[in-house]
Amino acid sequence: MSDGKGAKGAGARFPALAKNPKLQSAEYAASVVLNGMGAMPWFAVTLDDQQIANVVNYIRTHFDNHYTNAIKPDTITMMRPHLTEEYE
């Protein structure tokens, strides 16, 4: 949700971003954005490495999170799933 506190309903659960200790790992957050999790879709085919790094760095420094070690696009490149021609 817009306040980062998550939500439950309609059979889906959206975990809070606010004060989420799992966000301590930038790679964890990047993996979720790249591959999706639960009700969240994957964005590996729609966002480039810089955009994913920007999203991860934003959520890790907002919503009462204070993780300042930024992830870089080249790290996203290494984490990116290898896609078949169907998705490229």
Side-chain angles (χ1 to χ4, degrees):
M1 308 317 320
S2 62
D3 61 3
K5 294 182 181 175
K8 294 179 185 177
R13 181 178 167 274
F14 299 93
L17 296 174
K19 299 181 182 179
N20 186 330
K22 289 184 177 181
L23 296 178
Q24 182 174 1
S25 168
E27 289 80 6
Y28 169 80
S31 177
V32 172
V33 175
L34 280 166
N35 303 305
M37 178 179 279
M40 183 177 152
W42 63 311
F43 289 93
V45 296
T46 56
L47 298 178
D48 65 30
D49 297 339
Q50 182 65 59
Q51 291 170 318
I52 292 173
N54 291 346
V55 168
V56 169
N57 292 330
Y58 178 85
I59 64 171
R60 294 182 73 240
T61 57
H62 289 76
F63 309 112
D64 279 334
N65 295 311
H66 303 286
Y67 307 115
T68 58
N69 55 325
I71 195 165
K72 296 183 180 351
D74 59 334
T75 303
I76 305 296
T77 303
M78 292 185 301
M79 295 177 65
R80 187 172 284 283
H82 298 286
L83 304 174
T84 64
E85 288 183 24
E86 176 183 347
Y87 290 106
E88 290 182 343

